Amino acid sequence: MTASGLAGYLSVAADAVEGSAAELNRLDGYAGDGDLGITMSQAAEALKDVLAGSEGLSVGQLLSSCGAAIARSAPSTSGTLVATGFLRAGKALADPPVDTVEALVRAFEAALKGIEARGKAAVGDRTLVDGLDAVTDSLQLSLSSDLGTAETLELAARSAKAAAEATAEMEPKAGRASWAPERAKGHPDAGCVMLAIAMEAVAAHARSG
Amino acid sequence: MPMQKIINEPKAFVDEMLEGILLAHPESLRSPARRVLVRAGAPSEGKVGIVTGGGSGHLPLFLGYVGYGLADGVAVGDVFASPSSEQILEATRAVDGGTGVLYLYGNYGGDVMNFDLAAELASEEGIETSTVLGTDDVASAPAGPESRRRGVAGIALLYKVAGARAEEGASLEDVVAVVERAASGLRSMGVALSPCVVPAAGEPTFSLAAGEMEIGMGIHGEPGVGRGSLEPASEIAGQLVGRIVADLPFRSGDEAAVLVNGLGATPREELYVLFRSVHAALASSGVTVRWTWVGEYATSLEMAGASVSVLRLDDEILRLLDAPCESPFVVRR
C-alpha cells in the first residue's frame, strides 16, 4: 500500500461521511444526542486538511496524523473512538506490507482492537464495533482467498452494510444508546451506518480506478 | 421557576468562570490553551508533572488543585462533562519538565477515554505518562472490582500526596507507587440532602423531598444506596463511617487522614458537627485520626450534603500530607 493510494481512499470516505451528515444526525437522534453527523463532519474536514498537506508522509504517519487531527477537531466520544482507530491503524502500518489487502487487514484489526478497549464495547453491543468486526472478518477472508483489492473492498462494503442493517434489531449494551435501549429499537446504529457509507465510497473508488 | 444563580448566559458559564479565576490569580495560574490551566511557572524542569481534569461544577475540584505541592495542570470540561483529549494534551505539553507526567483524575467513562487517548498522543510526542485513577466512592460499585468505582472527594488527598512527592524530586515511578498505595487505602461515602441545577439545563438533577436524604449519591446525582428520612448528624456519621470501615476494611489500630467535605450548600458549621461524630465513630472502631481537612474540597454546584473520606496512613503518606502546598483554593503551610 502506498501513501498516495491510501490518501485517495480516505478522501472519498471523508466526502461520503460529510455528505451523509443529516442522515447520521437523524439516526443518532433516536437514542443518542443527535450530533453524530455534525461531529463526523468535523472529523472529515480535519482529515481532509491532513490529506492536503500530506506530501512526504508515510502510510503510518498519514494515519497517525489523521488520528491526532480528529482527536483535536471532534472532541466527543465518537470522535475520540474514531481517532483511536486511526492512531492504532497508523501504528500497525508503521512498516506497511506491499500488498494492499494485507495492509487493510492489519489496519482494521488494530483499529477494532483499540476501539473495543477504549470504548469498553464488545461485538454484539450494537456499536461501531459490530461494523468494524464484520469488515475485519471480510478482509481476513479475502486475504486468505487471495482476492484483489477492488473485489476485497466490494465484499467488505457489503459486510459493513449487512452489519449496519442487523444492528436495527439488536439491543444496545454500550454507549449512549444503552441509556434508553427501547428508543434505539428498529433503527440501525448510526456509527455502523457511517462505516458502511465510508466503505461503500471506498469500494466505488477502487472499482472505478 | 427561574434559576437562583448569579450568571450571565448559561452557555458562557464555564468560560466566564475561568476568566474570573485568571483575573483573580494571575500570579498563580496561566492558560496555555482554551480551557487549560497550568501553574504560572510551569513547566518545572526535572520535576514530574501532574495533570488532572474533569467536568466543571465541582470547585475547588479540579482546577483548584493546580498549585505548589499539588497538581501542575488541568483540563477543564463543561459542567459535569469530560474535557477533550486535545485539552489534556495541551496541559501535558505545558507541564512536562522532561521527567514524565502523571495523569491523576476520577474514574468516569468519558474522562478515562480522553485521558487514555491523550496519553497515546503524548507518547507519540515523546512524553511519558502514567495514570492513577481516583476510585474512592464505596457506594458506586460493589467491593471487589474497585476499578468500576467512581472517584469523588478523596482525590483531594491524592493530589496532596502526589504533589508533595513530586516536589521532593521523586521519579514518575516513585510518585505513582505512593499514590497507588494511597488510592488503594482510600474510601469515601456521601450523603445528599438537595439537588443541584446545571446552568445549561436549568432543572434540578434529581428530586429529594424535604426531610429526605440519600446515602451514597454520586456528585452528579447518580443514584445512591439508600433513600430515607433525614437523620441526626451522629446517625449519618455512623452510617457513612460504618460502610467505609467495613469496606477497606480498616482495622483497630489503624491511623487515618479524614476529609469531611461539603457538597456546596451545606455550611461549614454542619461539616464540623458531622466531623465530631465521624471522629467518634472511627474511634469506636479503633481508628485514630491523625490528619484532618474539613471544608469544601469537591462540590456539586449548590447541592446540599457532605461526604466523608478516610485514608489509611503510613509514615510516608503522613509526611506527604503534612508537607506544604499552595494554590488559590488550598493552602497548607
Side-chain angles (χ1 to χ4, degrees):
Chain A
M1 176 180 268
T2 64
S4 66
L6 173 65
Y9 289 134
L10 292 175
S11 165
V12 294
D15 283 338
V17 167
E18 255 188 317
S20 312
E23 164 80 353
L24 295 177
N25 282 339
R26 186 180 64 79
L27 287 172
D28 184 39
Y30 288 117
D33 40 13
D35 64 357
L36 186 73
I38 297 171
T39 311
M40 287 302 120
S41 294
Q42 289 164 353
E45 278 302 312
L47 197 151
K48 289 198 283 189
D49 283 346
V50 171
L51 294 178
S54 67
E55 214 159 300
L57 293 186
S58 68
V59 167
Q61 286 166 339
L62 178 54
L63 288 166
S64 296
S65 306
C66 288
I70 292 168
R72 201 159 45 236
S73 61
S76 68
T77 303
S78 50
T80 298
L81 292 171
V82 171
T84 299
F86 274 92
L87 287 168
R88 298 301 169 86
K91 268 222 171 90
L93 295 187
D95 182 15
V98 177
D99 180 51
T100 299
V101 177
E102 200 184 331
L104 288 168
V105 168
R106 275 199 216 171
F108 273 85
E109 282 174 349
L112 170 61
K113 223 172 130 197
I115 290 175
E116 269 181 324
R118 185 143 296 153
K120 301 197 169 40
V123 172
D125 287 349
R126 188 192 179 273
T127 69
L128 175 63
V129 165
D130 291 309
L132 280 172
D133 181 65
V135 169
T136 306
D137 273 353
S138 168
L139 292 170
Q140 284 165 339
L141 193 65
S142 296
L143 179 64
S144 61
S145 320
D146 261 342
L147 297 183
T149 304
E151 204 175 347
T152 294
L153 288 170
E154 188 70 47
L155 290 173
R158 272 191 232 164
S159 300
K161 185 157 190 260
E165 283 164 1
T167 58
E169 296 313 314
M170 290 164 66
E171 191 183 329
K173 297 202 189 83
R176 187 67 178 265
S178 66
W179 300 0
E182 68 290 341
R183 291 174 50 202
K185 200 87 184 153
H187 305 288
D189 174 67
C192 276
V193 169
M194 175 185 70
L195 178 66
I197 288 167
M199 291 306 296
E200 172 49 35
V202 169
H205 182 68
R207 242 188 339 256
S208 71
Chain B
M1 195 179 84
M3 281 184 277
Q4 289 286 93
K5 286 184 188 289
I6 302 173
I7 57 173
N8 298 305
E9 274 302 305
K11 268 192 187 159
F13 178 64
V14 171
D15 291 310
E16 292 185 351
M17 177 261 302
L18 288 174
E19 283 170 31
I21 283 173
L22 283 165
L23 285 168
H25 307 289
E27 71 296 340
S28 307
L29 300 168
R30 66 181 174 91
S31 176
R34 183 167 179 262
R35 293 196 180 182
V36 177
L37 296 183
V38 298
R39 278 159 70 171
S44 299
E45 211 49 48
K47 187 185 91 69
V48 166
I50 300 173
V51 169
T52 189
S56 294
H58 302 301
L59 279 179
L61 216 56
F62 296 87
L63 67 86
Y65 296 93
V66 173
Y68 176 81
L70 299 161
D72 297 275
V74 62
V76 180
D78 259 319
V79 175
F80 298 174
S82 171
S84 70
S85 57
E86 176 65 11
Q87 290 169 265
I88 299 162
L89 183 63
E90 292 281 7
T92 308
R93 288 177 182 137
V95 309
D96 174 38
T99 49
V101 174
L102 170 68
Y103 286 170
L104 178 58
Y105 60 98
N107 188 25
Y108 293 88
D111 294 312
V112 171
M113 201 179 274
N114 286 308
F115 270 93
D116 281 354
L117 178 54
E120 204 167 326
L121 295 165
S123 131
E124 304 249 324
E125 298 183 10
I127 304 174
E128 186 194 356
T129 64
S130 285
T131 297
V132 179
L133 294 175
T135 57
D136 49 313
D137 188 359
V138 173
S140 58
E146 254 112 60
S147 63
R148 284 179 45 219
R149 287 185 169 174
R150 300 183 292 253
V152 286
I155 196 168
L157 301 175
L158 301 183
Y159 292 134
K160 186 75 198 64
V161 168
R165 191 73 185 102
E167 298 296 350
E168 289 179 350
S171 66
L172 180 57
E173 195 184 359
D174 288 346
V175 175
V176 166
V178 70
V179 185
E180 277 182 343
R181 196 166 77 246
S184 72
L186 175 64
R187 295 292 184 278
S188 299
M189 277 291 297
V191 61
L193 307 187
S194 77
C196 59
V197 177
V198 175
E203 301 283 335
T205 46
F206 56 91
S207 65
L208 205 53
E212 274 192 327
M213 67 174 190
E214 183 156 338
I215 299 272
M217 179 168 279
I219 54 176
H220 311 98
E222 298 96 332
V225 292
R227 186 173 282 209
S229 304
L230 179 56
E231 304 279 353
S234 57
E235 188 62 35
I236 294 173
Q239 284 197 43
L240 300 181
V241 170
R243 283 176 185 270
I244 286 171
V245 167
D247 189 80
L248 187 59
F250 285 88
R251 301 190 192 285
S252 185
D254 278 350
E255 297 186 322
V258 173
L259 166 62
V260 171
N261 168 61
L263 293 179
T266 291
R268 299 234 172 168
E269 285 84 349
E270 293 176 28
L271 299 180
Y272 279 101
V273 169
L274 179 63
F275 174 69
R276 172 182 169 275
S277 293
V278 165
H279 193 279
L282 283 167
S284 75
S285 300
V287 178
T288 309
V289 178
R290 291 283 305 276
W291 192 97
T292 308
W293 263 350
V294 177
E296 287 187 351
Y297 290 87
T299 62
S300 195
L301 295 170
E302 69 273 65
M303 196 187 284
S307 65
V308 174
S309 304
V310 186
L311 168 61
R312 183 160 58 199
L313 292 176
D314 56 34
D315 290 346
E316 184 183 19
I317 292 174
L318 181 58
R319 181 189 83 231
L320 297 171
L321 289 175
D322 276 335
C325 70
E326 183 166 1
S327 82
F329 291 79
V330 187
V331 178
R332 188 177 183 92
R333 293 196 199 282

